[in-house]
Amino acid sequence: MADSRNPKPEGLTFPSLPEAISYLRAIPLASARFHAQELIAREAFAKVTNYADAFEQYMLYVESDAAYKSVLNSEEFEQHFQDELSFARERRAQRNRRDEARRTIAGNWAHEPRAGAWVDALPPHLHGSKSFLDALRTFSRRFHAWDEAARRVNAAVQARLSYRARGNRLNTYVTTIDLVCATRGDCRRKPLDFTTPVPEKWLKKNGMRMGPFGIIESVAAGEASLSGSDGGAVNLTGVGDVSMGDNKFPGDGAVEGDDISRRGSRLSQNASIRGEGSDRASVGESDGHRELDAMSTSGETTSSSTKAESSDLWETASYQPESDISSDEDDDVRQALPGRKMCGCSLDVPDSWIEKLGNAKGVLIEEQLEHLEAMSKFRYVCYQHARKMGSMIGLKIHLLSRSETLSRLWKIRENKAMISKLKTDKDTYHWFRQESRPSHPHDQLGVYKYAPQPVAAFEFDPELVLRNVETLLGCSHLDIETTFETCGSVNVPVFTWWMEDEELCRMIDIEFNMYRYHLSDESRKSDPGWTYGQLHSLCQQLMRQDPVYWMLHCALRPDRHWRLVSCPQHTRYSIKGEDSSYKKLDIDLYRGVAWNIGVNMLVGSVSLDEENKDSSMVLRGMHHHYAAWWNDLRSRDLNDLAKFPYKMTDTHYTEDDQSKFGCEWIPAGCKKGEARLTMATVPYGDNPSTKPRRRTMAPQFIRLEDDMSTLEAPWFGEWRDLADSHIALTIPRNAFRRWKSKNYSDGPPSRFPAALPLDGLGNLSNALVCRAKWDDPLVIRERNLLLTGSIEDIVAYVTEWRENALARVKERFRMVLEEEADAFGKASYFFKRTESRFLR
């Protein structure tokens, strides 16, 4: 017998953990007792899969005994037993959730004695399965009448057992997926028949019978409780021997009352574990690769070595829903295994990724997709966190199994650039919660009797639109379409009509000077030549709302998309000596090539001064070769063009590249009033100008997706962010948040006091600056006129629009001067300046 004052439990063997607790309680000295508790805890935790519930009770005893206080404080104790305590507390939380589910089920069917008797007679392992109890709780809440409930369960069981395919479970008892299908009313997208009783012939053929509670069951006595396992927690109360010192657990085999060997067999078939020095089987015969249930290579079998070399299973997999229809039922087992976190996720899933799932409110769509992309690289994500990922992205996950959740997440990841299409398509819009997608006609019936007819897709002839634009601008000698197709860039005299009005030109000069005057010295030094505070000047608002400029974008975009909105951009105002040479792109090439994000955008600027021909340059024709160029860059480890600010150096495009792709830098300087429109996939750059000054503005028109919320490039935020910006005249709240430009992402912090809205220019103009929705009937009428109307009607519309716009600008400009003078007093730009004559 060991000395009770300083026991040495090494070499002692206990038949069970409860007997070990009895031994420990007999040790009077707290420090010695804690030493023995620690040894047993470490040894038992190594075999925790066989001692789950007993180990939970053991750690509860260790924590409540407080012997550790003789050696450690509470914080040190938590750190000392971090893994053991986390495991025990998670088990306790799971058991409490299961108990709560059982109480809810009993309450829902309290008036149905047969229902209560059936629940009591279920196999023991189902009573411990959280996924089964959650599904049963939902089912009992929906169907209180037992006769209807029994018919639904029977139909679901019959449908499952009648479907013979690899991966389909043939358990003769009711499973989780049966309850899910009975609740939904379909199995594998086929409606269930709840009116026809299960045929007697089918029952005999499958060895089934109608049970005493109205639920079909196996004829063999007791088979319903002994066949298979649903992966739930097994209630162990004292499993085999615990040996101290020789690292052996003699009780690894079956234990009275629990079929441990059967449970171990189940794990070897359904869990993919990868731990140090361990060899375990994985789902789908995939060796050493992260497990994603229900994912398999389409059409052919791939060797395990090939799978192991793949960096992303989702890139090469297609979803087969039948391959593991109820894999969510295994999570309660997986979480207890080595090589997994307590939740069941593999160890390569970082805590930071999991924590963000719990703070999903207000997360931008761009961050949601980045989180989903990160998930695709993990070896295994548990059902709980797969559901949270689905919830973050807006999916209705309440009745989805793990395999169904993964299927929809994979579909979303595969269609990142068209997620708005998924949210509006008739076959997939119902995947998403109503607040996460655009309203559907059937959502809005309310007091109305009829749903409106579907809106037909709008189409227009881009060649006709370009001819109309050339007529409006008087530049028929320019072959806009051919130049743009060849070079990927074209200069068009869109705003030369501004230069014909001397008063407007003078106003533009004053406004630019005013904003430059108010720019801080720090901003001028850190990024000379850029006026970061000038976001909503009157001339910028006039440019963004110009209908001819919009027509030009619609006709030149490769996707011919017309639903465009403008993201506020700062202006450029550089004097001689402030210009610098640079070459850059305006999109993330990685996203553009991999997901087609941003490749249809047009970028460019409007010049307010005469520029040197070579002051700007573009890489002619690169929009035809950007994918091959990007692959070459990656092979040379030049991946920095996938990171803002996408600046280029001579190493990114060399003479060898020019010989290979046939693209060369050409001058692209603009004349006064011209607009340069360039494909986002075409690099461009600037050279120092020899002119006294250079002023440019950019409209940055972006496609608004079908859901009327998502933008084609997620780094611009969402429609509501741009709407708030145009209404409040501030920087877009979430646009460019990922960009670390201090001058842009952090400021200006509020509206410039003299910034005033330029409104009243028309319904389509309002839609371009997010003051109206693009589905507004009045906006649609103006769209139809400009893109499909006769040239006579278009000329009349544009002429009237320009007259009204000039009057509105001049009226509002005088208000701007008054607001600036009142706001800044003696610090005003107009204090003792000759421009003050405009105030009179």
Side-chain angles (χ1 to χ4, degrees), residues 134-186:
D134 285 345
L136 185 58
R137 175 169 54 182
T138 301
F139 182 72
S140 66
R141 187 184 301 122
R142 291 277 301 275
F143 306 100
H144 292 275
W146 178 245
D147 290 337
E148 181 186 5
R151 284 197 303 271
R152 284 180 166 269
V153 171
N154 290 338
V157 174
Q158 181 187 3
R160 174 173 57 82
L161 295 180
S162 298
Y163 184 83
R164 304 288 176 167
R166 182 181 178 184
N168 186 42
R169 296 188 176 185
L170 301 179
N171 308 89
T172 54
Y173 54 83
V174 178
T175 64
T176 303
I177 196 62
D178 295 333
L179 295 174
V180 173
C181 291
T183 305
R184 285 197 318 234
D186 70 271

Side-chain angles (χ1 to χ4, degrees), residues 39-84:
L39 289 175
I40 295 175
R42 302 298 190 203
E43 191 74 14
F45 191 67
K47 292 287 185 178
V48 75
T49 55
N50 289 345
Y51 292 84
D53 290 356
F55 186 77
E56 174 197 337
Q57 297 299 321
Y58 176 80
M59 290 308 300
L60 180 63
Y61 152 73
V62 172
E63 188 175 8
S64 62
D65 180 67
Y68 66 87
K69 292 184 178 179
S70 62
V71 181
L72 308 170
N73 59 36
S74 298
E75 183 177 353
E76 292 170 339
F77 174 75
E78 292 286 339
Q79 295 177 353
H80 196 67
F81 286 117
Q82 182 176 1
D83 293 339
E84 292 85 348

